[in-house]
Amino acid sequence: MVDIERIIAVEQLPSSVGTALMRLGKGVRVQQVEENIDGGVATYEIDLLLADTYYEVEFDAAGNVIGSEIEAWIVPLASVTGPARRAIEHEAAGAAILEVRMEIEEDLGEAVYEADIRNTTRTYALRIDAHGTLIERDITMDMLPGGAYRALVHAAQGGSIVELDEELHDGKLSYEANIVIGDVEFELSVDGDGNVVELNYP
């Protein structure tokens, strides 16, 4: 029996799950729905926004909640710690800061901030730790160093790059791409010179 993990539309949820979702509150905004079928048993992980809080809620096929956790809180920029706020404002450089979210990063044991920024060319997200250090930034291909650009374009031959991030690990920048070739999707991370840092298949 094949296990399945796939993103589906809200309209594809079983009616029992849809009804249970509606009971969570009138202001629920669904961000993403993932259907997981393991051993023939279906569960549904739903990322949602309720009031100012982002949750991940897991339902069984009968609509029972079998897991729930807070992912992040929407916070005003003024409440962000000084170094992180200054880093966000510096990154925005006068562009619109659409939303700031705070989450507790388990690996760091402290608050991490994610900001959505809209400038004249695009809307993107970046993650900053409480000390103002960049953790991750959505980027575009034209922002890649030459070596990283060539390595990722070569790896994606016959397919496409669907997501691209600049990340900081152990003080070093790397560039992670989600690459889809046919029915296969994988994550490839390279350094600025194009050397492979990490390769992951789901």
Side-chain angles (χ1 to χ4, degrees):
M1 188 173 293
V2 178
D3 294 339
I4 297 173
E5 293 182 6
R6 61 174 185 156
I7 304 300
I8 64 172
V10 175
E11 294 76 18
Q12 295 175 274
L13 284 169
S15 59
S16 55
V17 179
T19 300
L21 187 60
M22 296 289 287
R23 285 200 297 265
L24 294 180
K26 292 182 179 180
V28 169
R29 291 167 51 192
V30 175
Q31 309 293 306
Q32 178 175 287
V33 179
E34 181 176 301
E35 180 182 53
N36 298 304
I37 300 177
D38 186 358
V41 177
T43 57
Y44 300 88
E45 291 182 3
I46 302 178
D47 295 330
L48 57 88
L49 173 62
L50 180 59
D52 291 332
T53 306
Y54 287 91
Y55 297 87
E56 181 185 87
V57 183
E58 186 174 10
F59 295 88
D60 64 17
N64 300 305
V65 174
I66 56 176
S68 177
E69 63 178 337
I70 294 175
E71 298 279 277
W73 299 266
I74 297 175
V75 296
L77 181 62
S79 73
V80 175
T81 59
R85 184 176 67 253
R86 288 190 291 273
I88 292 170
E89 291 173 334
H90 180 266
E91 171 77 24
I97 301 171
L98 303 180
E99 183 177 284
V100 179
R101 296 173 293 280
M102 182 186 74
E103 61 183 79
I104 303 301
E105 182 66 53
E106 292 182 2
D107 294 342
L108 300 176
E110 60 184 27
V112 169
Y113 300 94
E114 183 171 306
D116 293 335
I117 295 173
R118 182 175 62 208
N119 57 28
T120 55
T121 59
R122 67 191 186 107
T123 299
Y124 67 100
L126 74 151
R127 300 181 77 225
I128 301 284
D129 69 17
H131 308 288
T133 302
L134 174 72
I135 299 173
E136 184 178 343
R137 178 197 287 120
D138 296 341
I139 61 172
T140 54
M141 291 294 290
D142 60 299
M143 298 169 68
L144 287 168
Y149 179 91
R150 289 187 291 273
L152 294 176
V153 168
H154 179 75
Q157 286 182 357
S160 60
I161 295 173
V162 297
E163 188 175 327
L164 185 62
D165 297 317
E166 178 183 55
E167 300 182 346
L168 184 67
H169 291 293
D170 299 324
K172 297 180 180 178
L173 285 174
S174 61
Y175 304 88
E176 182 181 279
N178 282 39
I179 298 174
V180 177
I181 301 176
D183 294 331
V184 177
E185 181 172 355
F186 60 95
E187 294 178 353
L188 175 62
S189 181
V190 299
D191 64 18
D193 296 321
N195 301 305
V196 174
V197 175
E198 192 172 2
L199 175 63
N200 290 314
Y201 286 87

